[in-house]
Amino acid sequence: MALLADVLSRVKPSATIVMTQKARDLKASGVDVISLSVGEPDFDTPEHIKQAAIEAIHRNETRYPPVSGIVPLREAIVRKFKRENGLDYKVSQTIVGTGGKQVLYNAFLATLNPGDEVVIPRPYWVSYPEMVGLCGGTPVFADTDMEHGFKLQPEELDRVLTPKTKWIVLNSPSNPSGAAYTRDEMKALTDVLLRYPDVHILTDDIYEHLTYGDFAFVTPAQVEPRLIERTLTMNGVSKGYAMTGWRIGYAAGPEKLIKAMDFVQGQQTSGASTIAQWAAVAALDGPQDHLATFRAAFQGRRDLVVSMLNQTNGLTCPTPEGAFYVYPSCAALIGRKTEAGKTIETDEDFVMELLQTEGVAAVHGSAFGLGPNLRISYATSNAVLEEACRRIQRFCGSLR
């Protein structure tokens, strides 16, 4: 009898984690590496949030929390959804997890049966299809393209929905493309979903606060209130509050679903860290001044990277509306050779040769379901980004 479960053979490792580790290994061996592969803000957690955690420790808020989260945080989540998204939820319709990833995984685990389909637009965050597969479901991919800004079109959504569809996953702003849906674009999708009453919507809003210019963020249940009873709205504090290591995600949705997720989590991890939860209360209820600072910095970095990549031989880089990624196409460079004579046959070849030749770590677009592209994170300083883009320009210019 084999020790390991058969399901593991159907699951791929996270390409972002793999590339990040390759960059770390090279750096540890003495190579000058610039890593643009990780999806993590380079800012520090705001001081008032850190202070709230310290105060919680001094109050001895260190015992097991309720599985679904401490009541003060769940109340803060209710206030946040009302204040920022115009959504009315009860505390009993909320749940807190150890990061947004756990919230998503528990939702799939609590709802998917063999044969159930989950529609995932591509390019997608690498973990969506793997989580669906681990939970017994079948990922079904909906296509997008650069011409439409990597945004799902209503005709394509209508094409992929079937009687087997249980969920559609919508991620706006998107990892990896940074694409975000306007109200009209989201309304076109929700109009389609109204015609499919058995399809549930899982919306990943983790990059909500990182949109640029005059772009106005919207979430599906906000645009179409008739969908609220079959929508799980997921968010968290990791990106907008620079709290990746605090591991707090949350969601609100139908009470029946929330209870099922609580049941799963109770046999899995139980409640998230009490200290991190009290910090999250301060994040949601406290001053939001840092968000403008974050947005201004990220927008400047985005504009720098887009400009330099579009001046690079063989790359085409659209301007994303949000998050902190760009998703340029390297299609014009496929088939070319490096100075050492290696043919660039895929986008994975491209990023591996870029790392080995110039010490710049990015992630190949095929890992996100759509290539030949690469995902570049601009969550680092302008000086580092300028140097990285110069190296990318040099590498692309050397291909023949």
Side-chain angles (χ1 to χ4, degrees):
M1 181 183 295
L3 172 63
L4 300 182
D6 293 342
V7 69
L8 294 183
S9 66
R10 303 193 295 271
V11 177
K12 295 177 291 186
S14 167
T16 55
I17 293 174
V18 169
M19 285 301 298
T20 300
Q21 189 58 50
K22 285 181 182 293
R24 286 176 181 152
D25 292 343
L26 277 176
K27 197 165 189 175
S29 69
V31 178
D32 178 17
V33 173
I34 298 175
S35 181
L36 305 180
S37 59
V38 67
E40 182 170 45
D42 59 324
F43 299 109
D44 293 331
T45 304
E47 286 299 321
H48 71 280
I49 299 173
K50 291 189 283 189
Q51 187 59 39
I54 293 168
E55 292 172 1
I57 292 172
H58 288 309
R59 291 197 310 271
N60 294 309
E61 303 279 4
T62 55
R63 291 172 173 80
Y64 289 132
V67 172
S68 291
I70 61 173
V71 171
L73 179 52
R74 297 174 76 189
E75 290 173 340
I77 292 165
V78 168
R79 289 190 292 272
K80 177 263 182 268
F81 279 128
K82 178 63 174 177
R83 179 179 68 247
E84 297 185 353
N85 310 112
L87 296 174
D88 290 309
Y89 290 110
K90 298 179 293 185
V91 169
S92 58
Q93 293 178 287
T94 65
I95 192 167
V96 178
T98 305
K101 183 178 284 190
Q102 184 185 31
V103 173
L104 298 173
Y105 186 88
N106 287 353
F108 290 138
L109 191 59
T111 59
L112 292 178
N113 295 309
D116 288 344
E117 295 179 349
V118 178
V119 170
I120 304 171
R122 55 184 169 193
Y124 46 71
W125 180 45
V126 293
S127 292
Y128 293 144
E130 308 309 322
M131 287 192 286
V132 169
L134 278 169
C135 294
T138 302
V140 173
F141 301 112
D143 291 323
T144 72
D145 55 40
M146 187 180 291
E147 179 185 355
H148 293 100
F150 301 114
K151 300 179 193 180
L152 179 62
Q153 299 302 295
E155 299 80 11
E156 175 67 2
L157 174 59
D158 195 40
R159 183 187 72 81
V160 296
L161 295 175
T162 76
K164 295 182 179 179
T165 307
K166 181 160 281 186
W167 288 100
I168 175 170
V169 178
L170 293 174
N171 175 211
S172 173
S174 160
N175 175 5
S177 71
Y181 294 88
T182 66
R183 178 174 287 271
D184 287 346
E185 289 167 341
M186 188 67 78
K187 184 65 166 63
L189 298 180
T190 59
D191 284 349
V192 173
L193 292 167
L194 284 173
R195 302 200 299 269
Y196 293 85
D198 294 326
V199 174
H200 294 75
I201 303 96
L202 200 165
T203 175
D204 181 347
D205 297 348
I206 199 75
Y207 295 95
E208 171 184 4
H209 291 122
L210 301 179
T211 61
Y212 310 117
D214 58 359
F215 186 90
F217 171 84
V218 292
T219 195
Q222 175 185 13
V223 171
E224 180 46 79
R226 286 176 288 179
L227 293 176
I228 195 167
E229 285 303 316
R230 48 188 173 107
T231 299
L232 182 70
T233 303
M234 191 282 288
N235 212 314
V237 295
S238 61
K239 311 299 184 180
Y241 297 90
M243 294 175 68
T244 49
W246 298 78
R247 309 310 302 135
I248 295 292
Y250 61 85
E255 196 161 335
K256 181 178 180 180
L257 172 60
I258 296 298
K259 287 181 177 178
M261 292 167 65
D262 174 271
F263 177 77
V264 167
Q265 190 163 304
Q267 295 295 349
Q268 185 187 63
T269 61
S270 294
S273 162
T274 53
I275 307 306
Q277 289 195 59
W278 280 106
V281 172
L284 297 183
D285 280 348
Q288 306 292 305
D289 305 3
H290 72 283
L291 290 174
T293 302
F294 283 17
R295 281 193 290 263
F298 281 133
Q299 181 170 340
R301 296 169 182 183
R302 177 200 67 173
D303 294 344
L304 168 67
V305 171
V306 169
S307 175
M308 292 189 72
L309 292 182
N310 278 326
Q311 296 172 50
T312 301
N313 178 51
L315 296 184
T316 303
C317 185
T319 302
E321 293 87 356
F324 38 67
Y325 311 103
V326 292
Y327 200 65
S329 169
C330 59
L333 300 174
I334 301 301
R336 296 197 185 183
K337 294 183 181 296
T338 67
E339 291 181 329
K342 178 177 173 57
T343 301
I344 302 295
E345 297 180 351
T346 65
D347 51 12
E348 185 171 7
D349 289 341
F350 181 93
V351 298
M352 292 305 299
E353 288 300 313
L354 175 63
L355 179 60
Q356 294 295 331
T357 304
E358 291 288 351
V360 176
V363 187
H364 49 293
S366 54
F368 303 98
L370 183 66
N373 293 72
L374 58 150
R375 190 195 77 171
I376 291 172
S377 167
Y378 51 85
T380 189
S381 70
N382 283 34
V384 170
L385 291 170
E386 286 183 19
E387 173 60 21
C389 288
R390 281 193 290 268
R391 295 185 189 188
I392 294 170
Q393 289 176 340
R394 186 166 60 220
F395 173 71
C396 293
S398 72
L399 299 177
R400 296 291 179 261

